[in-house]
Amino acid sequence: MRTLFLLPDTWDLALDSSGNIAVASEVYQQAQDVASACRTFSRDVYYDQAAGIPYFENVLGQFGFPLSLYKMHLETAAKSVTGVVSASAQLQLTGRAASGAILFTNEDNQTGQIQL
């Protein structure tokens, strides 16, 4: 499956050298797909209601929600991307804000990382 290239800072479409909409490739494509999977809310994908993280149901606004459970949701979402064989979420909690990165490895033993 092909993924449209999104500019890293704005998540906006970009054009290639021929003036066509740019397409992401290789590890960058998987990194972008991992980021999209981790930002998808459950029941948000029309054709796959089981996809996504239960942000409204379990994560957002829940006092005392275990960070380890959120980490598990992120790793599961990352491994749902085609070609990703392992994922590790590295999270920190500062006040009420979670930050960190997700490191992943694909079938070709290439690694990638996205920031949360």
Side-chain angles (χ1 to χ4, degrees), residues 5 14-23:
F5 176 83
L15 299 178
D16 64 14
S17 59
S18 302
N20 299 316
I21 295 176
V23 177

Side-chain angles (χ1 to χ4, degrees), residues 2-96:
R2 300 186 58 145
T3 299
L4 296 178
F5 176 83
L6 300 176
L7 295 169
D9 294 334
T10 61
W11 278 66
D12 198 5
L13 296 173
L15 299 178
D16 64 14
S17 59
S18 302
N20 299 316
I21 295 176
V23 177
S25 60
E26 299 181 20
V27 176
Y28 187 84
Q29 173 184 346
Q30 288 173 325
Q32 189 171 290
D33 290 345
V34 166
S36 295
C38 291
R39 292 177 179 179
T40 301
F41 284 62
S42 61
R43 294 191 311 270
D44 208 21
V45 179
Y46 180 76
Y47 57 87
D48 186 1
Q49 296 286 293
I53 294 175
Y55 284 109
F56 287 133
E57 298 85 349
N58 296 338
V59 180
L60 297 176
Q62 300 297 320
F63 178 74
F65 182 78
L67 196 58
S68 60
L69 189 54
Y70 181 45
K71 179 181 172 186
M72 182 209 62
H73 283 304
L74 290 172
E75 290 171 353
T76 301
K79 288 188 273 188
S80 72
V81 172
T82 304
V84 173
V85 294
S86 69
S88 174
Q90 322 254 310
L91 300 175
Q92 301 82 262
L93 194 59
T94 307
R96 294 177 45 112

